[in-house]
Amino acid sequence: MKPFTYERPADVAEALAMAAAVPGSRFLAGGTNLVDLMKLQIEQPTHLVDVSRLPLAEIAETAEGGLRLGATTTNSQVAADMKVRARYPALAQAILSGASGQLRNKATTAGNLLQRTRCAYFYDTTKPCNKRQPGAGCAAIGGIYANTAIFGSSEACIATHPSDMAVAMSALDAQVEIAGPNGQERAISLEALHRLPGETPHIETSLQPGEMITAVVLPPPPPGGQIYRKARERASYAFAIGSVAVAGGKVALGAVAHKPWRARAAEQALADGANPAEAMAAELSSAKPDGHNDFKLKLMARLGAACLTTTGAGDGQ
């Protein structure tokens, strides 16, 4: 274990100041991903700022008719909230499909969004990985690993984002509230939070140094049905090999890209009168499988069409 220091702030301003004061600081909440990576020495923070007890664990109504989820609300808390279950069922379904009950009791909303890939080569420190060490190469390219991206990948990285929750939030057009050093605050769409790999896959989000997520804001629920469905290699406690979230006419896909993949082509096809199968075919026409993950084309076509039909989208009404 690498040595590190630890502090527990009293409020957001103090947390930001603590992080800014020590280069290499990281915010710690549930720790379900960060602590594991520290044990493997993939993450080596010099200083931990424990934000788990900050007053950011409230689920509140917004003036517009949506909900604001505090950054430290746990996954279990959000999934069990009756306002979430009634108005955003796709989000509750996505959260409950992830991890285990014990992990959901600790994992937080912000931490879930910021978890790193579960690519086998990322976790294997004997193999090169551009996300761990920029410029080292990508062992997954040409390697034996099937749960890789079919959209938005690059010659530097073909990993996928592991979050179920983020996929549902993307389909729901969620916004992320961010606080930064010196009191700056801003809000961005969840779609803009995560980056595609390009030549810099180690830069995973659009957060600036020293910034922290303080809340996720859900707009009023869209008209129409909602659903989240996940395909995985075993019935529980497994990451997706493909997932779909539908909220009204909005569609997002999981385990197919370095970020939750908003299916804009499918959405446009539905708006133009396509049926569910045609809409998914339009989206998947631009996919670029690598051989090991060719199965994702048929998987996502069927899973997506089933979700669209269930929610009454396209000709499946």
Side-chain angles (χ1 to χ4, degrees), residues 4-297:
F4 60 89
T5 52
Y6 171 94
E7 286 184 288
R8 181 180 290 163
D11 54 37
V12 171
E14 188 175 19
L16 294 167
M18 287 177 175
V22 183
S25 293
R26 291 292 303 273
F27 296 114
L28 172 71
T32 59
N33 188 211
L34 177 60
V35 172
D36 283 349
L37 294 174
M38 289 174 65
K39 291 176 180 178
L40 295 170
Q41 297 190 9
I42 293 171
E43 292 276 4
Q44 299 182 26
T46 58
H47 186 60
L48 293 181
V49 179
D50 186 347
V51 299
S52 63
R53 300 191 185 185
L54 296 185
L56 298 173
E58 183 183 11
I59 299 175
E61 299 274 0
T62 67
E64 296 77 21
L67 290 178
R68 175 176 285 102
L69 312 177
T72 61
T73 51
T74 66
N75 288 182
S76 292
Q77 178 186 356
V78 174
D81 186 89
M82 291 309 299
K83 297 183 291 294
V84 174
R85 291 166 66 90
R87 292 151 59 179
Y88 307 97
L91 177 57
Q93 292 164 7
I95 293 172
L96 291 173
S97 75
S100 66
Q102 295 93 329
L103 285 170
R104 292 193 295 268
N105 288 343
K106 290 292 292 182
T108 63
T109 294
N112 187 297
L113 296 178
L114 298 177
Q115 64 183 305
R116 305 194 70 184
T117 180
R118 260 57 179 190
C119 173
Y121 293 102
F122 173 73
Y123 276 79
D124 185 350
T125 56
T126 68
K127 300 294 192 296
C129 174
N130 288 317
K131 292 176 75 64
R132 288 197 322 267
Q133 183 179 352
C138 176
I141 297 176
I144 303 174
Y145 185 58
N147 199 11
T148 50
I150 59 174
F151 293 109
S153 59
S154 71
E155 294 184 0
C157 184
I158 57 173
T160 58
H161 195 271
S163 174
D164 296 291
M165 184 185 78
V167 180
M169 286 184 170
S170 178
L172 289 165
D173 283 330
Q175 295 277 313
V176 179
E177 294 185 346
I178 299 165
N182 303 315
Q184 314 99 299
E185 295 182 350
R186 64 189 180 107
I188 60 174
S189 68
L190 186 132
E191 190 175 5
L193 175 64
H194 301 100
R195 293 164 46 105
L196 292 176
E199 297 180 356
T200 56
H202 61 290
I203 305 175
E204 299 175 339
T205 74
S206 58
L207 293 178
Q208 299 301 309
E211 288 187 325
M212 65 179 289
I213 295 173
T214 55
V216 174
V217 179
L218 302 172
Q226 294 183 30
I227 194 172
Y228 179 82
R229 288 187 62 182
K230 172 182 180 177
R232 46 190 164 183
E233 293 177 339
R234 59 179 184 265
S236 66
Y237 198 53
F239 293 98
I241 57 174
S243 65
V244 179
V246 178
K250 310 294 177 61
V251 185
L253 311 179
V256 297
H258 205 248
K259 60 184 289 184
W261 188 260
R262 186 64 178 266
R264 300 286 183 183
E267 292 176 3
Q268 185 60 55
L270 289 171
D272 291 340
N275 65 37
E278 292 167 340
M280 289 307 301
E283 188 64 43
L284 293 166
S285 65
S286 62
K288 296 180 179 179
D290 65 2
H292 289 294
N293 63 5
D294 288 0
F295 73 93
K296 288 194 177 187
L297 296 178

